[in-house]
Amino acid sequence: MTFSPPERNEQDWSWDLDQVVTELHQARRRWRAKHQRSAASGEREFPSRDALRAIVRDLCGVLFPMRLGPVELRQQDEDYYVGYTLNQALNALLRQLQLELGLVRPRNDAAGIAAQAREIAGRFAAALPGLRALIDTDIEAAYRGDPAARSVDEVLLCYPGIHAIILHRLAHQLYRLDAPLLARIVAEIAHTETGVDIHPGARIGSDFFIDHGTGVVIGETAVIGQRVRLYQAVTLGAKRFDHDDDGVLLKGNARHPIVEDDVVIYAGATILGRITIGQGSVIGGNVWLTRSVPPGSQITQANADTRSGVPA
Amino acid sequence: MTFSPPERNEQDWSWDLDQVVTELHQARRRWRAKHQRSAASGEREFPSRDALRAIVRDLCGVLFPMRLGPVELRQQDEDYYVGYTLNQALNALLRQLQLELGLVRPRNDAAGIAAQAREIAGRFAAALPGLRALIDTDIEAAYRGDPAARSVDEVLLCYPGIHAIILHRLAHQLYRLDAPLLARIVAEIAHTETGVDIHPGARIGSDFFIDHGTGVVIGETAVIGQRVRLYQAVTLGAKRFDHDDDGVLLKGNARHPIVEDDVVIYAGATILGRITIGQGSVIGGNVWLTRSVPPGSQITQANADTRSGVPA
Amino acid sequence: MTFSPPERNEQDWSWDLDQVVTELHQARRRWRAKHQRSAASGEREFPSRDALRAIVRDLCGVLFPMRLGPVELRQQDEDYYVGYTLNQALNALLRQLQLELGLVRPRNDAAGIAAQAREIAGRFAAALPGLRALIDTDIEAAYRGDPAARSVDEVLLCYPGIHAIILHRLAHQLYRLDAPLLARIVAEIAHTETGVDIHPGARIGSDFFIDHGTGVVIGETAVIGQRVRLYQAVTLGAKRFDHDDDGVLLKGNARHPIVEDDVVIYAGATILGRITIGQGSVIGGNVWLTRSVPPGSQITQANADTRSGVPA
Amino acid sequence: MTFSPPERNEQDWSWDLDQVVTELHQARRRWRAKHQRSAASGEREFPSRDALRAIVRDLCGVLFPMRLGPVELRQQDEDYYVGYTLNQALNALLRQLQLELGLVRPRNDAAGIAAQAREIAGRFAAALPGLRALIDTDIEAAYRGDPAARSVDEVLLCYPGIHAIILHRLAHQLYRLDAPLLARIVAEIAHTETGVDIHPGARIGSDFFIDHGTGVVIGETAVIGQRVRLYQAVTLGAKRFDHDDDGVLLKGNARHPIVEDDVVIYAGATILGRITIGQGSVIGGNVWLTRSVPPGSQITQANADTRSGVPA
Amino acid sequence: MTFSPPERNEQDWSWDLDQVVTELHQARRRWRAKHQRSAASGEREFPSRDALRAIVRDLCGVLFPMRLGPVELRQQDEDYYVGYTLNQALNALLRQLQLELGLVRPRNDAAGIAAQAREIAGRFAAALPGLRALIDTDIEAAYRGDPAARSVDEVLLCYPGIHAIILHRLAHQLYRLDAPLLARIVAEIAHTETGVDIHPGARIGSDFFIDHGTGVVIGETAVIGQRVRLYQAVTLGAKRFDHDDDGVLLKGNARHPIVEDDVVIYAGATILGRITIGQGSVIGGNVWLTRSVPPGSQITQANADTRSGVPA
Amino acid sequence: MTFSPPERNEQDWSWDLDQVVTELHQARRRWRAKHQRSAASGEREFPSRDALRAIVRDLCGVLFPMRLGPVELRQQDEDYYVGYTLNQALNALLRQLQLELGLVRPRNDAAGIAAQAREIAGRFAAALPGLRALIDTDIEAAYRGDPAARSVDEVLLCYPGIHAIILHRLAHQLYRLDAPLLARIVAEIAHTETGVDIHPGARIGSDFFIDHGTGVVIGETAVIGQRVRLYQAVTLGAKRFDHDDDGVLLKGNARHPIVEDDVVIYAGATILGRITIGQGSVIGGNVWLTRSVPPGSQITQANADTRSGVPA
């Protein structure tokens, strides 16, 4: 941080600050010229990951005040805490919504931006009680699905899969309300904290459980039914080579799997493309699957274990 | 965060705060009714992940004061720092222990809770010097096992596998002292920071090394011998389908592998069930293994590389 | 944190602080004796992960002031912000460089340490504009390569692969300037935040894109060309068994793959050893590859999907 | 904070830490022996000035949410904020009350301490609406009494005399509820921030105004009526020499002035002893007064100005 | 902060939160009704003392970067620091200006408020170099005037009188630019930190020095020439009784002293009313003065010391 | 802090940042030219008030660990806390000492500066136990001298006079060890927090008590005996007019009073010049005294009270 006096001579500081600042300025100018960023658009602010992290943390407390809220809370104070914290979180969200909308709408339509942001925030707020009920089913599913789980509270406090699904359900709500950038930032907050990478566009039914979670990837157009259970490193991805003949990737079309109710997918399974995993199927660990399977399928790696060598 | 004056009219605020607060209140009431949470039990506090993160950070400094403690520390001051910081950490741990015990013991037995918490904290403290010696063997193993390692200090400062094993050894101690919830929270702190998911119940011998680490999963009843080395994405898991005929998962029985001394398991290997990997075995990358192998086995994927296609 | 008065009797505190402090002291003494740490060398400070995290955060703002810098920044203020923040970051880096150099150079050569630290910091600063231009190509590559990407700005703000490559390019610069410990710490910061583990020694060309990213491992001597695209859980690692007959691992030699221009490697592929993936090749998901392939190869898992079982 | 490497030799550190620590230990032991502090009583915690500062800050927001509370608050959210913040403040106050009561009650009566603390906190809470109404009269008095005041809001936001009286009214409530130590700490917080030193025992009527305030001292047994106005450096003190013939100060008896309704006391006036300033009196600047004056008195310095010299 | 489990029964919490919240709500409603605060006006935000404290701190660094700015600053980086920090401070000031203007202008004239705020901020910025030069004269005056001063730098770093005059000159600028509420808040920040209470309206010439400072009060319409020196507890106040026959204080008229160039006023002197202290006069300690004195006057307390008693 | 989108047009920002930065640059250049500040000397860092505030806070905890240290401390942990905190404080002090010495010694004598700083810090540390014993006498004197004091602990926790004397005794030690600038900064910290302004050069005996304290000023060369008691607004100052015929103030000579043992000085008394207040004297409130008085004197204002007017 600091240095002792004798090292502080003029010639000590070998970096040429002005030169580096100038060259960085030129690098920005080249980028802006290339991407048609006028000074005006370049001035726009972007939503803030730090702000969204705080919002999400507050919303977790709002949804589960006694378990994820502040330590001293008692039941008789819950509503005060919930009301005050929710309002703070919505105000902060409103600001972030304005920033996102400001990137895609005409700059001079400030009133329109503000009105749309308020509408989104209001509808987001109205959806929260439903999300709470939905996440309650996820918690119960995790408790039922893990032999190591001791209580529903331990599940809520400790399980990365639960944290990931809470944040996904918030992110998905933002995605549906036309705030895809905020949604994506929330999804990446979950990804950093849990290693679970669920695109906010993915539609996921109730009673969803991911165990361990690290390396799970679920794509934008995936559809997952009720009572589905996944383990670590499962991929529900797009098939490779989904770009056209000119080498341009195709965008926006449905390209990720449909997983029907009551499916279990074990660790490391890779399921690619717009295929359907029929209801009640069980997909084994490390299975590579690019075609639909009917309800009740039990897919396993061929010859697992038999490929092993023998001890010397 | 804030907005300019003209947007602040009554009608601006489109969310109905009272309505959302009421509905969230009802959602909590439904959950509590379903899970038989009386007001009394609902008032109980839960241990805090933030508190445990601070405790763990302090304990890392206590165990390795010159390398993980505060910057200005010198050897002549070490004991003062260690004594003061350890005492702070133990006081904070004592509080968290009371919270965990308060969840499982009768509420009105405050004296019993306090006494048990003190006993656990005292025994935990007494175990620390032994843990330090054990972790020293892990550091030496990492240095021996990684060609890129330049010094034992670099290993301690940088390697996620070392961070994960330090936290596991602390968590396992808590697990053995009947504080499984705190243990689990510590394990999840490590999981978030390193991508290594070791259940605190796993028993791991000296000289243990995990390289890279992301995606490693080690289950609750796994037993690992001395001088074992793992790479990223190795799973020591339970076999699938371990629930009974009624669909209820079996809990508590030994269901994860035993890995004997001097075993090496390469990246992506999946080893499932209560099997034994005999002493000195080498398990190749991506191997899928659900049966025991004798000492000295060298297990590799069958036909690796030969399944590849050829260039067009 | 605190406890109510009645629990505060002498006998409440069951830990023997002096005893634990003494035993921890002895454990340190044993380690230092074993590793020939004199008191003098034991006094040396180590670089700080927290300090580097702050430096890296500042440098991200310096490189991309409008998007990763402070919220209120406008184009007309950019240069002031960039100059001031860069200077702060370089001063802080200078301190960390002195700490790293102090570990490997004779302690009494303070002037030499200071001079070398300044030279490194100066050359690091001079490299930043070039790094900015290089990272711009990475951002464009990510935008081109992901059908879900809506804008180059979303890519910079949200994509963990972009965050990982920004930090890698900074870390690699430090690595090349003979600050391997700082480089490694920066790499591990990226690893913690993104699940992407790139050794700072890896040489990576322009237009590089990692999608999703969790579980990617790229080794120290890997060489990656231009326009390469990787997906999650790809390993570019060393072949196993690369220790000599005495069981000592071989260090420093080239042992990781060379990936030529325009290669795509899908999720979960494992590529090991000093082999070459020829230009324009496509390596399929979960492929295990330990031999070189010529340009234009398309390698896929043999019999993927055909090993599946059938539904009951 | 830190120093460059060359200065870090053994002999650099010229302080003998162990010696100083030992001597400080002995100094504490001497004090404790002299004041009969057993180890047990020495262990008691003392209330915390920092904790009370936070409590007082929260209470100011609770009393005046739109003006002293958080920036984004709106009228429709006020009650949520007030309820949540008040509850937090009362919980924190409860802890401080336990600490104060623990100093004066038998240590082993924890239940009694807790019960009394709760009763005090509850009665304190019940008094807050009345205090708000009382302080409203002070704000109106300040607005009426200062020609520079532009609005009642400016008075509340800016005037040190208002800040001092808010804190005094809180402190006096604590004093009346038998928490004199907490009361005194609150009074000293006001003293530090405003230079106004009002003993929490002083009884002060409505519509009270202190202008400027620095140096005002009001003693423990002072009684002040309604609509009284003071200026800076006014002392309402005890008469000197109020110790007995043995040189021991007399304690507890009424020894400070009674100031009746509608009195104005100008800057620097010193009023000492249990005298009465009759209703509606005006006491001039710098007046020294140690006898009662009847209602309607106008007391001024004799010969003010006439003692001045003339220019050379 | 927290309490042990046994005290957490329902009946423990003796405060009736809902009751107190309701009564506080009613108290606010009474106040608003009395002061004609509609819901709309009640929603207005007030400027923030904390925000202004941060702004003032930044401006001190901008004015004196090497001495009051950040520790590591060097001359070659000064302009970057000054530009960035100034811009931040002005942005923050702009927000506070909008809040003040929003209190006095029609709410629906947002554009007008914004434009006026920008104009004030711009003119404030333009005045800063002149203020720096003016404060330089104050520093030199302090150095000349105090026999204990060792250097001009010590004066700037340590002297409360210098801190008070820096803040006054900033506050006076705001006052002149029609931001009297912000000006007053800045003045009260200085008052709290130094005990010096200068109304921001006071006009003060160059080379001004206040020694010690505690208790100094300078009123709104005071006019002070060049090279004036004051000591602690000097009052330049309004004469008492300056309200009209109806008891309503007269507002806005010139009511504080004019102090001409080169006057010295010793500690405790009280000078009241719109009188003139002629150039070069010396006013003795504790003098009470309510009439003008010609240039060159030397005013002392009559008979100082001679009123003393004799030892018993 | 932030503003809504519509206000963000180019022309919104009316300040000319570059212009103001340039003019501030010129103002600095003029000052440096006038005061012969070369670039080299201009680079020197100054000691930091924030750093000293933290040091002083730590030292208060070191001196009185159970009462001014951290909340959870117990007697059995005191020495660990004291040793660790003292060492931290001394390291931080060492850095500040180097900065002060760097201002007065040749810049290129870094080794000499470091050695002198270490010697001062070491001697300062060695003096702490003696200071603790001395301050204990002050606490006892305050308890004896104030009829409102309930315990010695209340005195230490609450009394501003005690806080001021603790900081003075620390500052005076620095002053005696030739660190007058640090000493002065510490004195000003006390001044800000208590309104008591004691020059660090003042020599003060044991059992010293200041009640209330606001406005007390004690000059650099004052000498105060044992068991002396002061009240608020007492000045022990230099006589006015102590500059020579050329108008240059005389510096460094003894110019403040000598107050012998057992003297009491009541509020507002002004005692000026190198006079002696004989042992056991009592100086009344508001007395103005510029001549020595023999032991046992009782000095009061002549005709106090008799100058009063009568009620109309």
Side-chain angles (χ1 to χ4, degrees), chain A residues 148 150 212, chain B residues 131 134 164-165 167-176 180 183-184 187 196-206 208 210 216-225 230 236-237 255-259 274:
Chain A
R150 281 176 177 75
H212 304 300
Chain B
L131 291 187
L134 198 53
I165 191 66
L167 266 61
H168 171 71
R169 297 207 184 280
L170 295 171
H172 182 60
Q173 198 64 33
L174 290 168
Y175 181 91
R176 289 176 57 185
R184 183 68 191 259
V196 175
D197 180 353
I198 309 177
H199 194 284
R203 292 157 52 197
I204 301 180
S206 72
F208 182 65
I210 301 173
V216 165
V217 174
I218 299 176
E220 182 175 15
T221 64
V223 180
I224 297 177
L230 304 185
L236 303 179
R255 61 195 183 279
H256 301 98
I258 296 169
V259 178
R274 190 53 162 193

Side-chain angles (χ1 to χ4, degrees), chain E residues 13-73:
Chain E
W13 308 96
S14 48
W15 53 76
D16 184 340
L17 197 59
D18 293 335
Q19 176 70 11
V20 179
V21 169
T22 300
E23 290 179 20
L24 285 167
H25 184 108
Q26 292 164 343
R28 293 197 301 274
R29 195 154 44 184
R30 280 192 296 272
W31 170 269
R32 286 165 185 163
K34 185 173 181 185
H35 291 268
Q36 286 85 41
R37 299 290 159 117
S38 67
S41 69
E43 273 190 347
R44 299 186 173 187
E45 278 180 44
F46 294 88
S48 154
R49 185 169 177 149
D50 285 342
L52 279 159
R53 196 179 287 116
I55 291 167
V56 161
R57 191 179 175 113
D58 273 353
L59 290 175
C60 286
V62 163
L63 290 172
F64 300 95
M66 291 299 296
R67 287 173 288 178
L68 301 183
V71 166
E72 300 91 350
L73 208 64

Side-chain angles (χ1 to χ4, degrees), chain B residues 2 10 32 41 53 56 58 103 114-115 126 137 150 168 174 180 186 195-196 215 233 262 292 301 309 311:
Chain B
T2 57
E10 285 299 272
R32 285 165 186 163
S41 69
R53 197 179 286 115
V56 161
D58 274 353
L103 298 174
T137 70
R150 281 175 177 76
H168 171 71
L174 290 168
V186 171
V196 175
D262 300 300
S292 293
Q301 264 198 326

Side-chain angles (χ1 to χ4, degrees), chain A residues 12 32 37 50 288 290, chain C residues 57 78 118 153 214 305:
Chain A
D12 279 2
R32 285 165 186 164
R37 300 290 159 115
D50 285 344
W288 174 274
T290 60
Chain C
R57 192 178 174 113
E78 277 183 320
R118 283 192 299 274
D153 300 320
T214 308
D305 282 354

Side-chain angles (χ1 to χ4, degrees), chain D residues 209-223:
Chain D
F209 175 42
I210 302 173
D211 203 2
H212 306 299
T214 308
V216 164
V217 175
I218 301 176
E220 181 176 16
T221 64
V223 179

Side-chain angles (χ1 to χ4, degrees), chain D residues 57 62-67 71-76 78-80 82-84 86-87 90-92 94-96 98 110 114-115 117-123 125-126 128-130 132-133 136-137 139-140 143-154 157-160 192-194 211-214 229 231-232 266-267 282-287 298-301 304-312, chain E residues 1-3 7 11-17 19-25 27-28 30-32 34-35 37-50 53 95 99 103 175 180-181 184-185 188 191-193 195-197 199 214-220 235 238-243 247 249-252 255 268 270 286-291 293-303 307:
Chain D
R57 192 179 175 113
V62 163
L63 290 171
F64 300 95
M66 290 300 296
R67 287 173 286 178
V71 167
E72 299 92 349
L73 209 64
R74 297 294 165 277
Q75 281 194 25
Q76 59 266 44
E78 278 183 320
D79 285 344
Y80 289 115
V82 167
Y84 176 58
L86 174 57
N87 202 55
L90 291 175
N91 275 320
L94 191 57
R95 173 69 185 143
Q96 298 298 314
Q98 288 180 311
R118 283 192 299 273
E119 188 187 339
I120 295 174
R123 293 172 64 183
L128 288 173
R132 158 76 201 236
D136 280 345
T137 70
I139 293 168
E140 292 168 326
Y143 177 66
R144 287 195 309 269
D146 180 7
R150 281 175 177 77
S151 74
V152 285
D153 300 319
E154 179 190 357
L157 289 171
C158 299
Y159 278 42
T192 293
E193 292 176 353
T194 66
D211 203 2
H212 306 299
T214 308
R229 201 160 82 233
Y231 290 83
Q232 69 269 23
Y266 284 97
V282 175
I283 310 300
N286 285 9
V287 161
Q298 297 222 2
I299 311 295
T300 59
Q301 264 198 325
D305 283 352
T306 67
R307 292 168 297 149
S308 309
V310 290
Chain E
M1 186 73 72
T2 57
F3 320 98
E7 303 168 23
Q11 69 276 24
D12 279 2
W13 308 96
S14 48
W15 53 76
D16 184 340
L17 197 59
Q19 176 70 11
V20 179
V21 169
T22 300
E23 290 179 20
L24 285 167
H25 184 108
R28 293 197 301 274
R30 280 192 296 272
W31 170 269
R32 286 165 185 163
K34 185 173 181 185
H35 291 268
R37 299 290 159 117
S38 67
S41 69
E43 273 190 347
R44 299 186 173 187
E45 278 180 44
F46 294 88
S48 154
R49 185 169 177 149
D50 285 342
R53 196 179 287 116
R95 173 70 185 141
L99 292 175
L103 297 174
Y175 180 92
L181 183 53
R184 183 66 191 260
I185 293 174
E188 285 301 334
H191 188 185
T192 292
E193 292 177 353
V196 175
D197 179 354
H199 194 285
T214 308
V216 164
V217 175
I218 300 176
E220 181 175 16
T235 295
K239 224 172 174 173
R240 50 190 168 174
F241 308 132
D242 50 351
H243 46 283
L249 287 178
L250 296 172
K251 300 203 174 198
R255 61 195 183 278
T270 301
N286 284 8
V287 161
W288 174 274
L289 193 60
T290 59
R291 56 170 180 79
V293 299
S297 301
Q298 298 222 0
I299 311 295
T300 59
Q301 263 198 325
N303 304 319
R307 292 168 297 150

